[in-house]
């Protein structure tokens, strides 16, 4: 895999594909973790006197009304603050103004172009990797650096498209992410996997790929109910993925000693934070109970398995962590892993957000910035954004 060390970027015009897909509320950035994660590569290019052109997607653009919601301008302003230097925002994804600005760049100048998915409005050019578009963006620079870990599993014009046309390498963030995930190829034992979240389908591939390496797979969150239902329990009104029940049965039959399910549940009659919360053993759930978190007995059991772990991979929260009353198990186990200094990799998205809320994120060994990309990599799938650079 070509990295920044393999390419001479000194004084060159570099195009960096970042992952600036940050959560926005009324045009304000709610969490700038992803912008901060891009700084190492940008600073490396500044040290090498590069002219820097940045691009990224932001949200989804399907209709005109999505344009204002997903405007990249606030990212330029935040980046300016974080870098303490000017970032010129070009409110275009192509055109004369962009080309003129690029041609007038001096060393260490930084340009950020508008959201690459603005190109999706007219025939999904970005997301379907329109060949002309990739070629056009590539024509703006000398070298392409892909530092958008979160989109490596997609073949878009702004990653695969550009990389098909000019000399390319991965950036420092992608390098760091891959290094951490590659440690899971031969993990130190005991190796424990924690899986939560709601979408069982997304995680079956990871289970199948890691089950032989892992000593135990601890299952919580919404996905636990599909396993519990498959195991014959009455799960009341909890979330369940009926399409995956057979697969869960197969996995539990094949690896009975490896899959660990919760034995008690924090339940409510309604899907909100306010209605009364009752902890129940798993065989006590009534038809109208909704399981929103794993219970304290299960947390104790999970900690027992984690106690001697040398390596932990965790994807998906153990409960509806967005509700304050149902993030108890997730927070308790995150804090336990930090306290016991257990080497832990958090696999993107919601579990990283939960770690931010519980103020444990900075003490965790590695918090991955990619959700889907992390899962696909762990499933052993080839990521198009990487393959083209290989
Ligand atoms: P995923 O994208 O599959 O990792 O799912 C993350 C989502 O799972 C978060 O938004 C959580 O609120 C949700 N989640 C976790 N536990 C439960 C549960 N018991 N019932 C419903 N949703 C849950």
């Amino acid at each position: 895999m070509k990295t920044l060390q393999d390419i001479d970027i000194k004084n060159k015009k570099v195009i960096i594909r970042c992952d600036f897909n940050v959560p926005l509320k009324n045009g304000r950035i709610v969490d700038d973790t992803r912008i901060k994660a891009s700084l190492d590569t940008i600073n490396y290019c500044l040290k090498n006197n590069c002219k820097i052109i940045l691009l990224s997607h932001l949200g989804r653009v399907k209709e005109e009304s999505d344009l204002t919601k997903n405007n990249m301008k606030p990212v330029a302003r935040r980046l300016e603050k974080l870098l303490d230097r000017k970032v010129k925002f070009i409110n275009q994804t192509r055109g004369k103004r962009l080309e003129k600005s690029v041609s007038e760049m001096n060393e260490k100048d930084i340009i950020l172009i508008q959201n690459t998915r603005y190109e999706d409005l007219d025939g999904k050019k970005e997301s379907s990797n329109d060949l002309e578009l990739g070629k056009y963006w590539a024509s703006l620079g000398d070298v392409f650096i892909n530092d958008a870990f979160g989109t490596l599993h997609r073949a878009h014009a702004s990653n695969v498209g550009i990389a098909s046309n000019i000399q390319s390498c991965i950036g420092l963030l992608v390098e760091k992410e891959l290094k951490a995930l590659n440690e899971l190829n031969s993990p130190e034992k005991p190796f424990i996997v924690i899986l939560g979240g709601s979408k069982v389908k997304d995680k079956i591939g990871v289970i199948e790929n890691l089950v032989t390496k892992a000593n135990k797979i601890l299952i919580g969150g919404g996905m636990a109910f599909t396993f519990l239902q498959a195991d014959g329990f009455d799960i009341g009104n909890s979330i369940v993925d009926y399409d995956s029940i057979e697969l869960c049965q197969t996995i539990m039959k094949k690896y009975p000693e490896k899959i660990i399910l919760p034995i008690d549940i924090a339940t409510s009659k309604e899907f909100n934070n306010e209605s009364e919360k009752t902890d129940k053993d798993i065989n006590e759930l009534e038809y109208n109970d909704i399981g929103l978190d794993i219970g304290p007995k299960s947390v104790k059991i999970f900690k027992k398995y984690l106690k001697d772990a040398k390596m932990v991979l965790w994807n998906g929260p153990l409960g509806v962590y967005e509700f304050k009353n149902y993030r108890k198990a997730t927070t308790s186990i995150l804090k336990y892993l930090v306290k016991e200094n257990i080497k832990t990799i958090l696999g993107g998205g919601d579990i990283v957000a939960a770690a931010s809320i519980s103020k444990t994120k900075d003490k965790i060994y590695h918090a991955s910035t990619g959700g889907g990309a992390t899962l696909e990599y762990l499933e052993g799938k080839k990521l198009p954004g990487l393959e083209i650079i290989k």
Side-chain angles (χ1 to χ4, degrees):
M1 182 61 56
K2 269 203 181 131
T3 67
L4 273 167
Q5 287 78 46
D6 303 316
I7 292 193
D8 178 18
I9 59 161
K10 261 203 169 59
N11 308 97
K12 294 212 171 129
K13 209 176 260 172
V14 296
I15 303 169
I16 313 179
R17 172 56 160 101
C18 299
D19 179 2
F20 292 146
N21 188 27
V22 289
L24 289 171
K25 209 170 190 179
N26 304 322
R28 292 176 70 90
I29 296 168
V30 182
D31 178 359
D32 64 0
T33 307
R34 285 185 164 153
I35 307 181
K36 285 182 177 149
S38 73
L39 296 180
D40 284 349
T41 297
I42 298 174
N43 280 319
Y44 182 91
C45 293
L46 284 171
K47 268 196 212 119
N48 280 280
N49 294 329
C50 296
K51 299 166 182 169
I52 302 171
I53 303 159
L54 304 173
L55 39 78
S56 170
H57 78 286
L58 177 54
R60 290 217 168 95
V61 177
K62 287 186 177 155
E63 46 195 57
E64 289 278 338
S65 62
D66 295 328
L67 294 175
T68 337
K69 268 191 284 188
N70 297 305
N71 193 320
M72 192 62 84
K73 195 170 177 182
V75 173
R77 300 292 81 92
R78 180 62 59 94
L79 197 55
E80 222 160 35
K81 269 199 195 128
L82 292 168
L83 287 167
D84 196 22
R85 69 185 306 127
K86 182 158 177 52
V87 174
K88 186 170 180 181
F89 176 67
I90 307 289
N91 189 13
Q92 280 188 327
T93 47
R94 61 170 115 192
K96 290 267 173 306
R97 240 196 90 217
L98 170 62
E99 290 153 29
K100 186 166 178 288
S101 296
V102 167
S103 70
E104 289 169 353
M105 284 177 94
N106 293 310
E107 280 174 10
K108 296 190 179 185
D109 278 355
I110 304 176
I111 281 179
L112 171 63
I113 76 167
Q114 185 52 277
N115 181 359
T116 54
R117 288 206 182 147
Y118 273 35
E119 291 283 347
D120 278 352
L121 209 51
D122 175 21
K124 283 193 160 265
K125 289 202 166 65
E126 154 74 328
S127 298
S128 66
N129 189 12
D130 178 83
L131 296 182
E132 285 309 310
L133 183 58
K135 202 168 169 185
Y136 172 78
W137 279 332
S139 75
L140 300 173
D142 309 312
V143 172
F144 175 58
I145 303 167
N146 192 351
D147 212 21
F149 181 76
T151 48
L152 284 180
H153 59 315
R154 308 272 183 230
H156 290 171
S158 65
N159 59 358
V160 171
I162 304 177
S164 313
N165 285 285
I166 49 172
Q167 195 184 21
S168 306
C169 67
I170 56 170
L172 297 173
L173 172 66
V174 170
E175 205 181 331
K176 186 171 128 203
E177 295 270 10
L178 294 179
K179 194 168 160 253
L181 295 180
N182 286 341
E183 286 190 45
L184 301 174
N185 290 334
S186 46
E188 283 179 73
K189 302 278 179 93
F191 169 45
I192 309 288
V193 176
I194 310 176
L195 289 178
S198 57
K199 293 174 226 105
V200 186
K201 253 186 234 117
D202 288 4
K203 287 157 204 185
I204 291 282
V206 178
I207 299 179
E208 285 174 330
N209 203 35
L210 291 180
V211 74
T212 48
K213 289 179 195 152
N215 295 80
K216 297 282 174 209
I217 299 186
L218 316 179
I219 296 187
M223 66 183 286
F225 296 102
T226 305
F227 276 90
L228 288 165
Q229 169 103 357
D231 207 14
F233 286 98
D234 191 347
I235 57 162
N237 212 2
S238 310
I239 190 173
V240 62
D241 173 3
Y242 287 104
D243 293 342
S244 301
I245 286 189
E246 258 186 65
L247 218 49
C248 291
Q249 278 166 340
T250 312
I251 288 174
M252 286 190 290
K253 217 169 160 183
K254 205 164 161 194
Y255 306 100
E257 78 294 354
K258 291 221 173 163
I259 306 287
I260 308 296
L261 299 178
I263 58 162
D264 64 339
I265 301 290
T267 69
S268 173
K269 300 288 184 208
E270 283 171 55
F271 192 86
N272 61 38
N273 186 54
E274 288 73 32
S275 63
E276 198 185 335
K277 173 178 147 181
T278 316
D279 290 333
K280 292 188 174 183
D281 284 350
I282 188 59
N283 54 3
E284 289 174 352
L285 263 59
E286 292 168 47
Y287 75 97
N288 56 353
D289 278 328
I290 309 173
L292 295 177
D293 198 1
I294 64 167
K297 292 180 194 164
S298 309
V299 169
K300 229 175 166 174
I301 292 175
F302 280 19
K303 283 181 184 169
K304 191 188 89 194
Y305 287 115
L306 291 165
K307 191 169 158 277
D308 301 315
K310 289 275 179 302
M311 183 112 208
V312 170
L313 168 72
W314 186 347
N315 181 280
L318 299 175
V320 184
Y321 77 101
E322 295 92 333
F323 300 157
K324 204 165 174 250
N325 289 334
Y326 299 100
R327 64 172 74 123
K328 225 173 157 178
T330 304
T331 302
S332 170
I333 291 186
L334 278 167
K335 287 190 170 161
Y336 181 77
L337 292 167
V338 166
K339 186 173 110 285
E340 297 297 317
N341 210 8
I342 296 169
K343 200 171 186 184
T344 301
I345 294 180
L346 301 181
D350 291 287
I351 189 59
V352 174
S356 286
I357 293 171
S358 65
K359 300 198 169 42
T360 49
K361 200 188 102 190
D362 296 337
K363 298 180 195 114
I364 291 279
Y365 176 67
H366 183 72
S368 176
T369 54
T374 309
L375 287 177
E376 291 200 16
Y377 194 69
L378 294 175
E379 275 178 56
K381 286 190 184 160
K382 294 210 181 313
L383 307 182
L386 280 185
E387 290 306 304
I388 191 78
I389 288 172
K390 265 188 198 164

